[in-house]
């Protein structure tokens, strides 16, 4: 699993967050995607690492500006995550 964090400029409200989430879901097979206009981020959880060029192509038509992309391994933390 991979956690990809996008720094996004231009999101101003909840509808902007929803628009960004829909754009990501329509281009990639993801487990989870959440956006925050307050922090200017979209966080994507996926099985496989996402292609940065494809991310740029997915974000471009939304009208928001992609400022940066970072990826890291993701391990689900939860109630039953202990003992691993």
């Amino acid at each position: 699993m991979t956690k990809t964090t996008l720094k996004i400029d231009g999101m101003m409200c909840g509808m902007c967050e929803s628009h960004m989430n829909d754009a990501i879901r329509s281009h990639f097979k993801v487990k989870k995607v959440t956006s925050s206009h307050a922090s200017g981020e979209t966080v994507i959880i996926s099985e496989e690492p996402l292609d940065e060029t494809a991310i740029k192509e997915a974000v471009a038509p939304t009208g928001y500006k992609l400022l940066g992309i970072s990826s890291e391994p993701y391990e689900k933390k939860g109630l039953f995550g202990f003992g691993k």
Side-chain angles (χ1 to χ4, degrees):
M1 298 271 278
T2 302
K3 175 182 173 183
T4 306
T5 304
L6 311 179
K7 293 302 270 179
I8 306 288
D9 184 38
M11 292 191 296
M12 300 294 177
C13 63
M15 284 304 296
C16 295
E17 295 169 358
S18 179
H19 188 213
M20 192 65 210
N21 292 346
D22 290 345
I24 296 299
R25 282 190 197 103
S26 70
H27 285 84
F28 304 100
K29 184 176 180 183
V30 297
K31 291 285 186 185
K32 182 177 180 182
V33 58
T34 54
S35 295
S36 169
H37 70 279
S39 64
E41 286 186 341
T42 296
V43 178
I44 307 162
I45 307 298
S46 58
E47 289 286 341
E48 301 294 326
L50 302 177
D51 179 52
E52 289 192 18
T53 303
I55 292 172
K56 291 174 185 174
E57 290 172 0
V59 173
T62 64
Y64 307 118
K65 186 174 182 183
L66 181 61
L67 302 177
I69 302 172
S70 63
S71 295
E72 61 188 74
Y74 175 78
E75 189 171 310
K76 185 175 181 180
K77 298 178 184 86
L79 182 62
F80 301 107
F82 65 90
K84 286 189 175 181

